């Protein structure tokens, strides 16, 4: 694992939007997947208001650790909060609002010069990533006889990443169940760097990072639950066909932090102004009514999560909206 690179990139991200510690007012940390959206919103918010924001990247799990200790105002999350994290927040007296902000097409990627890869099934991915494959599945032809007998080198998020949690739940069948002999980092930039140098690499990351690096990476089509070959795209997220790797992404807002005018103003700005920014960073915005619903949730003080602390896989935008309507 390239821990030094992860730490370095995380620190760089944390200082992107504030030049000094004294300038920090609104503190945000968490998912690298959600980072491009929140960073874009924060940049526009600073221009409009002159307030200061910091956005760190420590992964969804790492972000929730800080959030539940009361160290941050907002936590970026590429999956819903889990029961263990809910318990830690409860013990610390941290109450929160759960606000879905967009959908992501989790993307399986290879080096741009890979000339043999074909659509992969969930079973192919499970063979590559399952814990029992550690030290045993080491060449591409072990995934499929149609692939050459070349080394299979894996890249992906680390254990503090919500993307790691989601992928392992969707592919292996249990969150956090994965082989450990791969290059891991909570920051997707490190995964991109590794794959861009390794023609035998296979990895997964958020769709925005693939789009940003299309000159270095190639997206691998997936065979969905209906047996159809689908590629990651906005259209396939919207029509529900990019399953099971399409997922909602969130921000969680500390209730106490919302008492600070600048945080309240930022969250309102996020809900009202983020749609074009979400499109710009290549994620899929939710319907306009979803952002209005988020503001209603805050106004009416509807705290907590609609997911019950459980992992969720294959949720469509329509299903998410039905669930959120119950909060």
């Amino acid at each position: 694992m390239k821990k030094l690179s992860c730490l370095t990139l995380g620190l760089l991200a944390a200082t992107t939007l504030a030049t000094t510690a004294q300038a920090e007012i609104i503190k945000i940390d968490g998912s690298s997947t959600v980072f491009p959206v929140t960073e874009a919103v924060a940049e526009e918010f600073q221009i409009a208001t002159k307030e200061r924001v910091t956005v760190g990247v420590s992964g969804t799990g790492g972000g929730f650790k800080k959030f539940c200790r009361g160290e941050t105002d907002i936590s970026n999350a590429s999956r819903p909060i889990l029961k263990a994290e809910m318990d830690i927040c409860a013990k610390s007296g941290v109450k929160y609002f759960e606000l879905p902000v967009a959908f992501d097409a989790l993307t399986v990627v290879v080096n741009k010069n890979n000339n043999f890869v074909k659509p992969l099934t969930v079973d192919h991915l499970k063979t590559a990533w399952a814990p029992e494959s550690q030290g045993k599945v080491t060449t591409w032809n072990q995934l499929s006889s149609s692939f050459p007998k070349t080394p299979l080198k894996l890249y992906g998020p680390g254990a503090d990443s919500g993307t790691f949690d989601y992928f392992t739940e969707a592919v292996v069948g249990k969150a956090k169940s994965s082989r450990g002999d791969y290059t891991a980092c909570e920051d997707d930039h490190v995964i991109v760097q590794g794959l861009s140098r390794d023609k035998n690499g296979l990895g997964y990351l958020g769709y925005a990072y693939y789009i940003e690096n299309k000159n270095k990476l190639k997206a691998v089509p997936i065979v969905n639950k209906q047996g159809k070959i689908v590629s990651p795209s906005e259209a396939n997220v919207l029509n529900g066909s990019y399953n099971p790797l399409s997922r909602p992404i969130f921000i969680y807002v500390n209730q106490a932090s919302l008492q600070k005018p600048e945080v309240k103003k930022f969250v309102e700005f996020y809900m009202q102004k983020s749609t074009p920014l979400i499109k710009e960073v290549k994620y899929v915005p939710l319907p306009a009514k979803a952002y209005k619903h988020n503001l209603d949730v805050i106004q009416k003080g509807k705290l907590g999560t609609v997911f019950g602390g459980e992992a969720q896989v294959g949720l469509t935008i329509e299903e998410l909206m039905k669930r959120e309507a119950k909060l």
Side-chain angles (χ1 to χ4, degrees):
M1 293 190 183
K2 301 182 180 179
K3 292 184 178 179
L4 180 59
S5 295
C6 289
L7 177 60
T8 301
L9 283 169
L11 289 174
L12 287 172
T15 58
T16 298
L17 299 171
T19 55
T20 67
Q22 289 75 18
E24 295 181 11
I25 295 178
I26 303 167
K27 297 182 180 180
I28 307 171
D29 207 315
S31 166
S32 64
T33 300
V34 187
F35 174 80
V37 179
T38 300
E39 180 192 38
V41 173
E43 288 176 347
E44 292 298 318
F45 177 75
Q46 289 191 126
I47 293 170
T49 67
K50 310 304 180 185
E51 303 283 3
R52 306 302 293 173
V53 185
T54 61
V55 187
V57 178
S58 58
T60 296
F64 275 133
K65 289 174 186 176
K66 295 179 181 181
F67 184 73
C68 292
R69 291 196 297 261
E71 296 174 7
T72 56
D73 302 302
I74 296 170
S75 202
N76 290 330
S78 61
R79 57 151 172 81
I81 191 169
L82 300 178
K83 184 63 169 63
E85 294 159 342
M86 293 168 64
D87 291 342
I88 295 170
C89 275
K91 288 177 182 177
S92 302
V94 173
K95 298 179 181 180
Y96 49 83
F97 296 98
E98 174 184 82
L99 308 179
V101 294
F103 256 71
D104 173 36
L106 201 161
T107 305
V108 178
V109 287
V110 294
N111 183 281
K112 67 173 182 178
N113 294 319
N114 183 312
N115 58 8
F116 61 80
V117 73
K118 298 176 182 178
L120 295 174
T121 66
V122 170
D123 283 342
H124 287 143
L125 295 172
K126 183 176 181 179
T127 298
W129 290 95
E132 57 269 24
S133 297
Q134 181 162 333
K136 298 177 182 178
V137 177
T138 57
T139 57
W140 275 91
N141 69 314
Q142 290 176 280
L143 302 186
S144 170
S145 59
S146 66
F147 295 148
K149 190 177 181 180
T150 56
L152 174 66
K153 298 181 181 180
L154 300 175
Y155 297 79
D160 270 341
S161 166
T163 300
F164 171 80
D165 292 343
Y166 187 92
F167 183 85
T168 49
E169 179 76 29
V171 168
V172 182
K174 181 181 179 182
K176 298 188 181 296
S177 180
S178 172
R179 65 192 296 172
D181 56 340
Y182 71 98
T183 300
C185 184
E186 280 71 22
D187 194 299
D188 290 309
H189 288 106
V190 175
I191 301 170
V192 170
Q193 289 173 7
L195 285 165
S196 67
R197 295 192 295 262
D198 190 344
K199 65 180 182 179
N200 295 314
L202 174 68
Y204 61 96
L205 37 64
Y207 183 66
Y209 289 91
Y210 158 66
I211 291 295
E212 184 183 351
N213 296 280
K214 286 179 70 173
N215 61 325
K216 302 174 184 176
L217 306 176
K218 181 185 296 185
V220 182
I222 301 298
V223 179
N224 70 9
K225 291 185 289 186
Q226 291 75 37
K228 296 182 179 180
I229 296 173
V230 290
S231 296
S233 70
E234 179 178 348
N236 288 338
V237 169
L238 288 170
N239 66 30
S241 67
Y242 191 69
N243 62 67
L245 297 183
S246 175
R247 56 176 180 162
I249 58 178
F250 307 83
I251 62 171
Y252 285 75
V253 183
N254 186 317
Q255 182 192 32
S257 294
L258 270 178
Q259 304 306 308
K260 296 189 286 187
E262 63 273 14
V263 175
K264 184 174 184 291
K265 192 188 303 182
F266 175 78
V267 173
E268 290 173 348
F269 187 92
Y270 205 127
M271 295 306 114
Q272 294 166 352
K273 306 290 187 180
S274 62
T275 293
L277 301 173
I278 290 167
K279 290 181 179 180
E280 188 176 306
V281 299
K282 306 305 179 185
Y283 288 139
V284 180
L286 300 178
K289 62 182 179 180
Y291 302 107
K292 182 179 184 302
H293 174 74
N294 284 342
L295 292 174
D296 289 343
V297 164
I298 291 173
Q299 184 178 2
K300 296 175 182 178
K302 295 182 177 180
L303 296 163
T305 173
V306 298
F307 295 93
E310 301 293 332
Q312 304 288 324
V313 170
L315 204 64
T316 65
I317 292 178
E318 183 178 355
E319 291 165 342
L320 173 68
M321 294 307 300
K322 287 180 180 178
R323 184 171 298 197
E324 286 294 327
K326 297 176 181 178
L327 186 63

